[in-house]
Amino acid sequence: MQQNLTSIDFKVILVCVVTAFVLTFAHYFGDYRFLVSILRDLGLVDQAKQFQITMTTHSDAGFYRALYWASVVIFFYLTLPAICIKWIFRESFSDYGMCFKGAFKYYRLYVLMLVVMAPLVIYFSAAESFLKMYPFYKVAPGDSLFPKFFIWEFFYFLQFFALEFFFRGFILHGTKHRFGFYAIFFMTVPYCMIHFGKPMPETVAAIIAGLVLGYMSLKSRNIWMGVFVHCSVAFMMDISALFRKGVLGGQND
């Protein structure tokens, strides 16, 4: 106990500080209105006006807002952690879950997670809060899914890769030397908190998923099956929501 109090682990400190900055930047810049306000404060009034028009009154404003949010998350979840790993820690990305070796070691558990999640997604997709939230890129009945919806899904999947790298890679593997098994629980707290504002069942499920995916990443030393599960469940959620709204031929509840 005394040794823990007197020794300083600068790596853990940096992981925590970088995590705080990443979550802060992603939260504020993820709202396009924050960037508009910054552009105005910098005297770039015309650019701020044009950007706001693109995000609000443009015919594809909903599409651009979704892509903007995903791009912000991808940028911050990847950039700062990557800089730390490569140029400050001087370590390999494979040490943070990017190695494909052992990626399918626990595939049975991942398949089980999908089997469990599928009926839950179908059930909760009937909830008003779910339909209001998903998909992030809104598609009205009669609108074509191609190409905008598929472009959005591509960015959405990249966002999940960035998310897994940040939480199950950078935070988890960046603190396991200090916390060991407990790094899973350390990582799960901020992971749960980024779901605040979403339907409560999803936030509760995120706690369970965070623990399970964290354990899998710690044991297999990779994030790839977590990326697969995340993308699969997210796609099921979007498709279920589109069906419930009548976009895919289902009846609008």
Side-chain angles (χ1 to χ4, degrees), residues 73-74 77-78 157-167:
V73 171
I74 293 168
Y77 279 14
L78 290 179
F157 290 173
L158 283 181
Q159 179 264 156
F160 283 121
F161 160 69
L163 181 147
E164 287 296 326
F165 171 71
F166 179 54
F167 286 98

Side-chain angles (χ1 to χ4, degrees), residues 4-209:
N4 289 336
L5 291 176
T6 56
S7 61
I8 298 178
D9 192 323
F10 289 103
K11 184 176 180 179
V12 170
I13 291 174
L14 192 56
V15 168
C16 291
V17 172
V18 169
T19 295
F21 274 113
V22 168
L23 294 176
T24 298
F25 291 154
H27 174 76
Y28 284 99
F29 281 99
D31 186 340
Y32 74 89
R33 292 169 295 186
F34 182 72
L35 182 56
V36 170
S37 67
I38 290 180
L39 292 174
R40 286 175 176 167
D41 291 342
L42 293 174
L44 303 174
V45 179
D46 292 340
Q47 290 83 348
K49 182 178 180 181
Q50 184 59 47
F51 182 68
Q52 186 170 24
I53 290 174
T54 302
M55 294 291 118
T56 55
T57 60
H58 191 279
S59 58
D60 289 324
F63 177 64
Y64 290 132
R65 283 197 303 271
L67 291 189
Y68 171 77
W69 169 81
S71 299
V72 167
V73 171
I74 293 168
F75 177 79
F76 286 114
Y77 279 14
L78 290 179
T79 306
L80 293 181
I83 291 174
C84 275
I85 294 170
K86 196 68 176 178
W87 286 286
I88 299 179
F89 299 156
R90 296 187 180 278
E91 296 176 337
S92 172
F93 291 123
S94 61
D95 296 329
Y96 290 80
M98 298 293 284
C99 179
F100 285 101
K101 183 179 180 181
F104 300 100
K105 185 176 181 181
Y106 298 96
Y107 75 93
R108 291 185 179 85
L109 183 54
Y110 288 106
V111 171
L112 177 62
M113 290 177 66
L114 291 179
V115 171
V116 171
M117 287 301 300
L120 293 177
V121 168
I122 295 173
Y123 175 78
F124 285 110
S125 66
E128 182 179 351
S129 58
F130 185 98
L131 295 175
K132 185 178 180 181
M133 178 73 65
Y134 297 101
F136 289 158
Y137 167 54
K138 309 303 179 186
V139 182
D143 289 351
S144 174
L145 294 180
F146 186 83
K148 294 188 185 73
F149 177 75
F150 294 98
I151 294 174
W152 156 245
E153 289 296 308
F154 174 74
F155 274 81
Y156 200 26
F157 290 173
L158 283 181
Q159 179 264 156
F160 283 121
F161 160 69
L163 181 147
E164 287 296 326
F165 171 71
F166 179 54
F167 286 98
R168 254 71 72 181
F170 178 68
I171 299 177
L172 179 65
H173 293 284
T175 59
K176 67 182 181 182
H177 69 282
R178 185 72 170 185
F179 302 138
F181 176 75
Y182 300 104
I184 298 171
F185 303 91
F186 179 80
M187 169 275 299
T188 301
V189 175
Y191 178 66
C192 164
M193 295 175 70
I194 67 169
H195 291 79
F196 290 172
K198 293 185 177 183
M200 183 178 173
E202 182 179 350
T203 305
V204 173
I207 300 173
I208 301 173

